[in-house]
Each structure stands twice: as structure tokens, then as C-alpha cells.
Amino acid sequence: MLWFFFCVAILILGYFTYGKIIEKIFVINPNKLTPANSMRDGVDYMPMSKTKIWLIQLLNIAGTGPIFGPILGALYGPVAMLWIVIGCIFAGAVHDYFCGMLSIRNGGATMPNLAGKFLGRPVKLFINVMALVLLLLVGVVFVASPAQLLATITMDVAGATQGAMELGDVEAVKEAVAAGGITVWGMDKATVISVWTLIIFGYYILATLLPVDKIIGRIYPFFGALLLFMSVGMVYGLVSAHLSATDPIDFFRTVNADGQGLTWEKFTQNFQVKGDVPIWPLLFLTISCGALSGFHATQTPLMARCAQNESEGRFIFYGAMITEGVIALVWCMVGLAFYESPQALQDAIAAGSPSKVVYDSSLHFLGFIGGIFAVLGVVVLPITSGDTAFRAARLQLAEIFGIEQRALVKRLYIAIPLFVLGFIVSKLDFSVLWRYFTWANQMTAMVMLWTAAGYLYRYNKFHWVCSIPAWFITTVCATYLAYNKIGFGLDYQLSVYIGLAITVVCIICFFTLLKPYNVRDEDELATS
């Protein structure tokens, strides 16, 4: 249990130390006018308080990534928590901070435009396609996962309230639902999932079309309260279970079934190749949100357009990522503690995806009513990321085709085809969608980190804080594409060599093709 709180403490310490270092390297200008004030349009560019922006940023970036990913990552053992902590402080939060601050400095520009400015037009064309694919996948994935959880809640609550069994007899309810013995207004679970999918899509359409303060700015505080209840509630449940006098939970029993505790030898065993799921590179794609996520680069400019001062950047962008890291640690601990063995966790995931782990563990730790509220706290994360994913896709397409977005009818020109395509893609198998999502996600993170490194290098600043994470995730993505079945399916050792070789080529291109400016900041360049 102390290991969990130690990791949380390191994340918080990272915010106050490394976050401050990153801020000094960027060099903020509190007197510089931000796009929220200079480009205010009443739709996307609008000043908001930094606390509200931070909350919206957290809900935008979180999704099911920092929940589903760490649950899947728990199959690798406690080493997954190391990646969450180190990745979050030195890669993910740095990625988010520079994306947000560069967007503020460049009129609320999207990540593809930033990439084009600091890395060149070919990179801009590539990341425009990659980011749009990612946003579409995110929107679709973040429809499917909350629809499944909401359908499960609906069926269970209906089973209890319809008198099919006594209220609170959770196991009996779940058995009846699984056997198809419970219907809601004549609908089985599959139909209920479809209904919730349509409802969520309907909300996404409204959130995509209406000004940012009309829906997103008003209901997110309520969603934030649910998120807080979920996070605090699950920590309470985990601590209570660990301290239980009758049936205490060993937080690392998934790797220590013999009851001997966590030893260094057992910890290092987590690094060994495990059949066709080697820790390198799969762990670093399995756990993306909560450690390093390119999806954040598509969302962060939305909030960069609402920030009122550059001094707010560390709290909004770096801070929201650190908070997401804490959420990821909570659910990684659930994966490590709730099941008696890695195989039991694997079986639960196979039976109902990570959403089954979320649902079962929430009800176990917090009871039927508390568990339902905790699950609702999980549900709001994908919903509050899916809505802004489609919104970001609309804005990016508008930017590409030069379609202004003040008029509702012009927003519809983009939104209608976008949602039709999203609905079609949503019919694909969830596990396949998730694999493509994870790769596209980290590819986008890779480009954003190279973009930030290019900015720092061109302005003669300390670029290594972005360059080294960029090299790392480039090797991860290249190795994954070479090795995984959704890529080329090559031999594992050969794939590792290919990943390293591609990274070396990227490093050479970076230092030979990019030319540093003879100044250290944008204002100096503009007046030189």
C-alpha cells in the first residue's frame, strides 16, 4: 500500500519541481495577450477561469485511457506503475505543457499547424491525417466503452427494481443479466447498448456544434464531482480492503501468489519477454493516457484558446496530466489487487473487456449504490473526451479547408459527415479499434514531442527535455509497427533493431534539416 502512496507523492513532487523547470525552459510572458482575449469569437475562443479550464482539460484528456490502459498494464505487474510515474513526469506532462503553451503563442493553433511550423510542411500533412484518424477512433472508442457500462448499470438496476431479485443481491442480478433473463422495456442488453450509443452520439453532436461555454463549460463541473467521487471512493475501497482484518487484499498478489511479498527478484521478472506480449514495446502503448498520450495534443489547443494568461499554463496543462497520472495509478492498483492472479485478471478482461473489471471492482469495494456512482464517475471520462474529440476534429477540418466556424450551418457542413463516418466505424470490433487507437495515439505523441523539441532547438533553448522523450517513443512506435500483427508481424528481435534504426535516422534528420534561429524567443525574432 505504501508503494501506491509513494508513487502518488512522486507525481505531486514532479509537478512542483520538474514542472517548474519546464516552465523556466519555455520562458513564459505573463504580459503577452493570449488568443482568448485577442481572438475572442464567442464559440471556441473565450476567456475562462484557470480552475474551470483545468477541470475541462482533465476531463477532455482522460477518457477511458487512464482506466482501461492501466488495468491492461497491470498484467505486467508493478513495473507498470513505474512507467506511469516516470512517463507522466518526464514525457506526458512535458508533452501537454508544450502543446498548450505553443498553441497559446501561435493564436490557438492546432498541433498539425505547430508541427508544420517547427518541423516542416511534410510533417504537417502527415500529422493532419494521423490526428484526424486518432480523433475519429477516440470518438468511436469513447462511445462504445461508456455505452457498455451504462447498459450494464441499466440492466442491473432494472433487475433489482423490477423485483426479479432482492435489491442489493448483486451477484444474482449479474447472473440473470448474463443469462439474458432481464429485459428493460422489452429490450435485451445488446439493444440497450445500442440505445445508449445513440444517446451518447446525440450528446456529442450538441457538444460539437454549440459554443464551448453552453454545454461543456456548464456540465463539466458536475462531471468533475463524479470523477472526484470515483477516484476518492476507489482509493478508500482499496485502503479498506488492504486493512481488512478478515480478508485483507495483498496489493501485489498478482505477482506474489506464494504470499512472500514483493522482492527485487520478482519485480525484475516483470521485464522479461512474455510470449507474444513482450513488455517492450507493448507496455508503453498499453498504458498511454496516464503516462504519455498523443490524444492530449488534439485536445489541449481547445483549452489554450480559453487561457487568460501564460502563467496559468503549468497549472492547466502540466497539472492536469499529473492528476491523470494519479487516476491511472488508482486503476493500476485495482488491476494488481482485485484478482488473485494475472490469469484471473486476464480471464475477466477476456470475458467483458476492462469495463468488466471496472464494474466488478467498484461494486465489490463500495457496495451496490456506491459502486454505481463510482462507475458513473468512470463513464463521464470517455464521454467528456469523446465530445471534445469530435469538436477538435471539426475544428481541424475547418482549419484544413478554410471554413469559418461562427455560423451554425457551416459547422454542420463538417459535423454531419464526421458523425456519419463515426457511426459506421463504431460497428467494428472494439478490440481491433483499441489496438489501432493505441498505436495512432502514441504516434501522435511522438510527433508532438518532436515538434516541441524542434521549437526549443530552433530558439536555442534546452531541447533535451523534449528530444529524449521523442527518441524514446519513436523507438516504441517503430518497434510496435514492425512486430505487432496490425503492422508487419516481423520477428521480435528484428523489430527491435528496426525500431532503433528508425530512431537514429530521425535524430540525424532532426539535427541536419532544422536550422536554429539566432534568437532565444519569438518576440525577438519578430523584431529582428
Side-chain angles (χ1 to χ4, degrees):
M1 192 65 213
L2 290 177
W3 175 249
F4 167 73
F5 287 110
F6 173 74
C7 289
V8 172
I10 294 297
L11 282 179
I12 296 172
L13 182 64
Y15 170 79
F16 287 105
T17 55
Y18 198 67
K20 192 67 177 178
I21 291 172
I22 295 300
E23 185 180 59
K24 288 184 176 180
I25 291 173
F26 178 80
V27 186
I28 62 172
N29 184 355
N31 299 317
K32 195 177 185 70
L33 207 61
T34 64
N37 296 301
S38 63
M39 302 172 64
R40 182 168 184 168
D41 64 1
V43 179
D44 299 306
Y45 293 82
M46 187 175 299
M48 299 173 71
S49 71
K50 70 174 185 178
T51 303
K52 180 176 283 189
I53 297 174
W54 172 84
L55 177 60
I56 296 174
Q57 171 74 0
L58 175 61
L59 291 170
N60 282 357
I61 65 177
T64 48
I67 299 173
F68 282 17
I71 288 173
L72 293 166
L75 292 168
Y76 291 97
V79 69
M81 299 181 72
L82 270 185
W83 165 234
I84 292 172
V85 173
I86 296 174
C88 187
I89 294 173
F90 297 102
V94 173
H95 168 283
D96 290 15
Y97 179 81
F98 275 100
C99 182
M101 296 307 295
L102 288 177
S103 182
I104 289 176
R105 284 279 174 91
N106 291 272
T110 58
M111 193 266 281
N113 274 351
L114 295 174
K117 179 175 182 178
F118 297 112
L119 296 180
R121 182 173 174 79
V123 179
K124 177 182 177 180
L125 296 175
F126 167 77
I127 199 58
N128 257 322
V129 175
M130 181 61 66
L132 284 171
V133 170
L134 174 60
L135 286 168
L136 182 65
L137 288 173
V138 166
V140 171
V141 167
F142 291 173
V143 167
S145 53
Q148 290 174 354
L149 285 168
L150 286 169
T152 302
I153 293 174
T154 302
M155 301 301 289
D156 283 2
V157 171
T161 58
Q162 288 175 10
M165 64 286 297
E166 291 184 12
L167 180 64
D169 190 354
V170 179
E171 293 304 319
V173 173
K174 286 191 278 189
E175 289 176 9
V177 170
I182 298 296
T183 60
V184 179
W185 297 308
M187 297 183 294
D188 59 11
K189 188 173 182 178
T191 307
V192 174
I193 290 176
S194 298
V195 170
W196 275 114
T197 299
L198 291 173
I199 292 173
I200 294 170
F201 259 119
Y203 164 73
Y204 284 178
I205 292 172
L206 290 175
T208 299
L209 294 175
L210 294 177
V212 70
D213 65 329
K214 299 302 182 185
I215 290 185
I216 292 175
R218 292 185 180 182
I219 67 174
Y220 270 35
F222 170 72
F223 285 163
L226 279 175
L227 169 63
L228 181 63
F229 176 85
M230 176 272 290
S231 303
V232 175
M234 290 306 293
V235 171
Y236 167 79
L238 286 166
V239 172
S240 298
H242 182 67
L243 299 176
S244 172
T246 56
D247 186 25
I249 286 183
D250 177 3
F251 271 65
F252 298 111
R253 68 185 183 186
T254 54
V255 291
N256 302 297
D258 57 8
Q260 295 180 7
L262 182 64
T263 65
W264 177 250
E265 180 182 0
K266 290 178 180 178
F267 184 83
T268 56
Q269 287 174 1
N270 292 286
F271 292 93
Q272 298 174 6
V273 175
K274 300 180 180 181
D276 62 347
V277 287
I279 194 170
W280 177 272
L282 295 185
L283 174 64
F284 307 98
L285 286 105
T286 301
I287 301 180
S288 52
C289 296
L292 170 64
S293 172
F295 171 61
H296 298 187
T298 67
Q299 302 300 289
T300 298
L302 300 180
M303 293 300 98
R305 299 172 183 184
C306 299
Q308 299 186 66
N309 195 290
E310 286 191 2
S311 62
E312 301 172 351
R314 183 164 64 98
F315 174 73
I316 295 170
F317 305 121
Y318 200 99
M321 182 62 209
I322 292 295
T323 307
E324 185 182 271
V326 175
I327 295 172
L329 285 174
V330 171
W331 287 99
C332 188
M333 291 304 294
V334 170
L336 288 168
F338 185 61
Y339 295 94
E340 294 183 355
S341 68
Q343 186 58 51
L345 174 60
Q346 180 66 63
D347 291 343
I349 293 171
S353 82
S355 63
K356 177 176 173 57
V357 179
V358 169
Y359 192 80
D360 290 349
S361 61
S362 297
L363 266 62
H364 175 84
F365 288 133
L366 300 176
F368 188 68
I369 302 300
I372 292 297
F373 276 101
V375 173
L376 288 175
V378 173
V379 166
V380 303
L381 289 175
I383 290 178
T384 52
S385 294
D387 58 6
T388 49
F390 280 113
R391 188 181 190 89
R394 170 179 66 80
L395 291 170
Q396 188 171 326
L397 287 169
E399 196 173 71
I400 293 171
F401 295 108
I403 303 174
E404 65 89 15
Q405 294 292 281
R406 290 175 184 267
L408 176 61
V409 65
K410 293 189 176 181
R411 282 176 251 159
L412 286 170
Y413 288 161
I414 299 174
I416 291 176
L418 184 65
F419 278 103
V420 169
L421 181 59
F423 185 78
I424 293 171
V425 174
S426 70
K427 300 301 180 182
L428 298 177
D429 180 69
F430 180 82
S431 61
V432 174
L433 285 173
W434 186 264
R435 287 197 294 272
Y436 280 105
F437 157 69
T438 56
W439 179 75
N441 193 33
Q442 297 305 69
M443 281 291 291
T444 307
M446 177 193 77
V447 175
M448 183 59 233
L449 282 170
W450 279 112
T451 299
Y455 160 79
L456 293 173
Y457 179 67
R458 283 178 177 270
Y459 283 106
N460 298 286
K461 298 180 180 182
F462 192 74
H463 67 87
W464 302 105
V465 294
C466 292
S467 296
I468 294 175
W471 301 352
F472 175 82
I473 201 62
T474 299
T475 310
V476 167
C477 291
T479 304
Y480 180 84
L481 185 63
Y483 172 71
N484 200 267
K485 293 178 181 178
I486 70 168
F488 296 98
L490 301 177
D491 173 74
Y492 176 70
Q493 190 171 14
L494 176 61
S495 299
V496 172
Y497 291 144
I498 290 174
L500 291 171
I502 290 176
T503 302
V504 170
V505 171
C506 289
I507 294 172
I508 293 172
C509 291
F510 179 86
F511 287 110
T512 56
L513 298 180
L514 297 187
K515 304 301 180 184
Y517 304 131
N518 294 320
V519 295
R520 291 189 61 84
D521 62 64
E522 295 92 318
D523 291 333
E524 187 178 348
L525 179 64
T527 57
S528 62

